[in-house]
Amino acid sequence: MDTDVDQHLRDVQREYMDFLDDAETEGTYTDKVREMVTNNDFRLIVNINELRKKNETRANALLSAGCEELVCFQKALKEFVATADTAYAKQHEEFFVGFEGSFGAKHVTPRSLTSSYLGNLVCVEGIVTKCSLVRTKVVRSVHYCPATKKTIERRYTDLTSLDAFPSSAVYPTKDEDNNPLETEFGLSAYKDHQTFTIQEMPEKAPAGQLPRSVDIVADDDLVDACKPGDRVQVIGLYRCLPSKKGGFTSGTFRTIMIANNVKLMSKEVAPSFSADDVAKIKKFSKSKKDVFEILAKSMAPTIHGHEYIKKAVLCMLLGGCEKVLTNGTRLRGDINVLLIGDPSTAKSQMLRYVLHTAPRAIPTTGRGSSGVGLTAAVTTDQETGERRLEAGAMVLADRGVVCIDEFDKMTDMDRTAIHEVMEQGRVTIAKAGIHAKLNARCSVLAAANPVYGRYDQYKTPMDNIGMQDSLLSRFDLLFIVLDKMDPEHDRMISDHVLRIHRYRSPGEQDGDVLPMGSDVDVLTTADLDAAEEEEKEMSIYEKHDNTLHGQKKDKKEKIVSMQFMRKYIHVAKALRPALTREASDCIADEYSKLRSQENLASDVARTQPVTARSLETMIRLASAHAKARMSKTITREDAEAAIEMVQFAIFHKVLEKAKKKRQREADSEDEEEEDEEQPAKRRKERPPRNPDDPYDYYDDEDETVPDIGHRREKSKEPKEKESDESMDVTSASGAAAKDGVSADRLQMFQKSLLGIFKKEHADSLPLKRVTEAVNGDHPDDPFSESEIRSAVDKMMDNNQVMLSDETIFLI
């Protein structure tokens, strides 16, 4: 019987040998083995689809009875390597085989991994929740006996090995004659060993149930192939470990998976570049358009507005230039951004976009994370009982971004834990006998609500934010996002949101079932559709979609595709632009102005204190702006762009062009009514008002007269009575008229004006209409334009009428 089994195993081994030896046909695995020898590896990845094509019997047997088949496959691989390179085959104890491809019904999640799969080769996908430390296991020990001058060799296997019978775990110290043995440690062989747990993905778990998990055993080169938080596919043997206590068993066994291949499903940290990609990136960086503006507009195109916040997020992804000085001082290059403001202003959506765009991004929330959860915690190892460090979110996001939502909900004690990380870029631990420094060089993007839930316009920004200055100064940019009520703006937002809700993905069918609670998306280890898309030529701009991007107002206005942006940012991030003298002077001048503004103009509302860190902020932002242009130097243009962002963030204002400034000055002059010198100038600078839309007049109603920038309540007396009284007061006063109109002419004008207002039943009339009506009353002696202007000015001085936008209002 044993002979038949041995013969069967030899036949199986020969079949696998024939599969690997394909030099005469495609030569795929011959080349792969050569490459494996060149790279000094000892694991060959075999696509099970190719094995199924050549030998379907072996492929089916491998899936259903994986243990003995895998042992035969590995022996065949060692034999094949020996024929290719004999010296290399002797260097390694064993060679391993890993699998990929389509597993069909054997492609499962931890929830659907049931007892029917025991002993089978399966593919399980999920999220890694915890990893143990990497430990060494002895595979072969060599012992020397000085008395007999003999060498003894012993091999060790356990239940996690492929061999059917585990060996005794007793380590020999004496031979049969009780002679002591010495262990030759140099000749013994060891292997790395690690266990990690994968949990089913939250989006695949059925509603209202906790996600399930499975333990994975990884040996040799598969240790440290993944870290907590990674989405992985693990291919391996599903096996149970029997447990005996006092000679009998309870009947319930612990099940594990012995991995032979681990594939990461997470997005790559370093994207692959073709020569065509590099050419496109160079061409885009040298285009005549403002590259920074185009990239900023393309950030989160589904979010309406927030131009400055998008620019800040782009700068954060690009980063500044980190410097480590000779004395060990580190000047950070990471840019931290805080968004604070009203609910429903797309703060969390901005964080969600960064999570999908940044190469490494870790999401957390204020209430869901403690101080040690963000930095590092000392835990007890379950297997050995030793104390060890467990990295928190900010350590895992080293050289990436941490997105903290609901930042204001964190307690003060937890918030102080991130002070050191945000400035020094490291976590120092000194507890439970462990002293360690961990790198956490990450950018922080936080979103928070104000103290009162909504932003209170009547309180200063500092009162609304309600955080310590020591924390706020560590944020480079702090944006206050307000939900302003403006009909035109609200109309634009509603159009935008409705457009997004009308969007249908290209492959979506009517009545499609939502993929909620389904086991897996694709029944193969590689998504063929995604692979095809990667092979396609990368386009710089996205194809215009009316529902996503709106109607095209300008043909030149294009949105950069996310794939291109990811690659562009990856290249631009590596640059280290140098600061020029003119940029340095510009930044230094602005910093001194910001500080003096802080001392002199105490009424200016500031969102955060202006400290020396603000100076470093401007340098970092200017560096990021230069990186976006792929420039090797930071010019004055970069410095001005950085200053504009800082001004907007600190003082909550936009740097204005000269034209707008004049307009604003004119408006301020209009508010100061004592200034009598420039009425004509004010009239010229104001935009003309529509004369066909006067305010309606109601006889006996109390009402308010609206005006541009002014709202004045009328007295509660009827209008005609008030007008009569004011006219009488004027005529009784008999004051001398201004230059250009006599007292008699002024009285005539006042009577005519009062008559016109009564006749029209209005409290505001265009100046042109008043001129025609007054001259119609006095055809023999008409009023000139200068007389009418002088009369109106005199009445304005007496608070009887008001002139605005060529319209006379009755007070």
Side-chain angles (χ1 to χ4, degrees), residues 4-5 12 18 102 148 197 212 237 376 378 389 404 414 417 430 437 545 577 644 691 694 713 721 756 785:
D4 294 345
V5 172
V12 170
D18 293 342
S102 304
T148 58
T197 307
R212 304 252 174 98
L237 288 167
V378 177
L389 275 180
I404 309 175
D414 295 336
K437 284 181 185 176
D545 186 327
E644 190 177 349
E713 284 214 2
K721 187 177 174 187
I756 298 160
E785 190 180 347

Side-chain angles (χ1 to χ4, degrees), residues 297-304 310 353 496 499-500 542 548-549 559-560:
K297 272 181 191 167
S298 305
M299 296 285 294
T302 53
I303 298 173
H304 183 270
K310 288 180 182 179
Y353 178 82
H496 180 82
R499 253 201 349 264
I500 300 297
E542 273 186 12
L548 266 183
H549 309 121
I559 301 284
V560 174

Side-chain angles (χ1 to χ4, degrees), residues 244-527:
K244 273 189 179 180
K245 284 185 182 176
F248 66 91
T249 176
S250 62
T252 54
F253 299 145
R254 180 186 169 213
T255 55
I256 57 158
M257 255 187 82
I258 302 161
N260 60 47
N261 191 14
V262 176
K263 285 180 77 77
L264 288 176
M265 295 166 68
S266 315
K267 59 180 179 288
E268 295 172 289
V269 173
S272 55
F273 292 92
S274 65
D276 187 42
D277 293 349
V278 176
K280 281 181 177 173
I281 287 168
K282 277 187 178 176
K283 182 185 171 187
F284 181 75
S285 65
K286 288 174 182 171
S287 60
K288 291 178 182 177
K289 305 167 196 167
D290 189 345
V291 176
F292 186 78
E293 288 288 337
I294 295 170
L295 288 172
K297 272 181 191 167
S298 305
M299 296 285 294
T302 53
I303 298 173
H304 183 270
H306 295 332
E307 289 85 5
Y308 280 94
I309 295 174
K310 288 180 182 179
K311 286 179 185 178
V313 168
L314 176 60
C315 286
M316 185 190 72
L317 291 174
L318 289 164
C321 295
E322 182 185 332
K323 287 187 172 59
V324 179
L325 307 181
T326 49
N327 61 358
T329 307
R330 176 181 174 270
L331 304 176
R332 72 175 163 100
D334 311 302
I335 295 168
N336 303 319
V337 180
L338 174 63
L339 310 177
I340 192 160
D342 296 335
S344 174
T345 47
K347 299 189 296 293
S348 298
Q349 289 297 333
M350 194 66 77
L351 266 63
R352 182 73 43 206
Y353 178 82
V354 171
L355 285 178
H356 288 295
T357 313
R360 179 181 285 145
I362 303 284
T364 67
T365 57
R367 286 308 295 159
S369 53
S370 61
V372 290
L374 283 170
T375 53
V378 177
T379 57
T380 307
D381 193 353
Q382 290 179 348
E383 291 179 19
T384 59
E386 293 174 0
R387 293 292 183 96
R388 68 188 186 97
L389 275 180
E390 212 159 273
M394 297 186 113
V395 178
L396 290 175
D398 188 32
R399 297 285 184 210
V401 182
V402 176
C403 299
I404 309 175
D405 207 352
E406 309 290 351
F407 191 61
D408 55 312
K409 311 296 186 294
M410 285 175 74
T411 60
D412 285 339
M413 277 180 66
D414 295 336
R415 227 181 270 143
T416 49
I418 66 173
H419 279 210
E420 183 192 16
V421 177
M422 287 178 71
E423 197 56 47
Q424 312 303 330
R426 65 161 190 252
V427 177
T428 311
I429 296 285
K431 43 182 151 179
I434 295 174
H435 296 271
K437 284 181 185 176
L438 305 173
N439 280 332
R441 296 155 297 189
C442 59
S443 302
V444 176
L445 175 60
N449 290 117
V451 176
Y452 311 100
R454 282 187 79 87
Y455 193 86
D456 188 347
Q457 299 274 19
Y458 299 103
K459 287 190 165 57
T460 61
M462 297 294 252
D463 290 340
N464 273 290
I465 293 163
M467 291 181 199
Q468 301 163 350
D469 281 6
S470 56
L471 180 63
L472 291 180
S473 68
R474 284 171 162 81
F475 281 105
D476 295 290
L477 294 169
L478 192 153
F479 291 102
I480 292 174
V481 194
L482 298 179
D483 183 11
K484 292 181 179 172
M485 293 181 190
D486 175 25
E488 191 180 340
H489 190 243
D490 292 344
R491 162 64 65 188
M492 287 162 70
I493 288 179
S494 61
D495 284 349
H496 180 82
V497 172
L498 289 165
R499 253 201 349 264
I500 300 297
H501 277 270
R502 280 169 49 212
Y503 174 70
R504 300 279 293 273
S505 56
E508 192 180 336
Q509 297 291 324
D510 284 336
D512 253 5
V513 180
L514 286 173
M516 289 181 69
S518 65
D519 285 347
V520 286
D521 290 331
V522 282
L523 293 169
T524 175
T525 53
D527 191 350

Side-chain angles (χ1 to χ4, degrees), residues 92 100 106 117 185 223 240 304 307 341 360 413 596 640 644 688 693 764:
H92 294 283
E100 62 181 10
K106 304 276 196 300
Y117 294 108
F185 291 104
V223 298
C240 66
H304 183 270
E307 289 85 5
R360 179 181 285 145
M413 277 180 66
S596 60
E640 283 171 356
E644 190 177 349
D693 185 24
S764 65

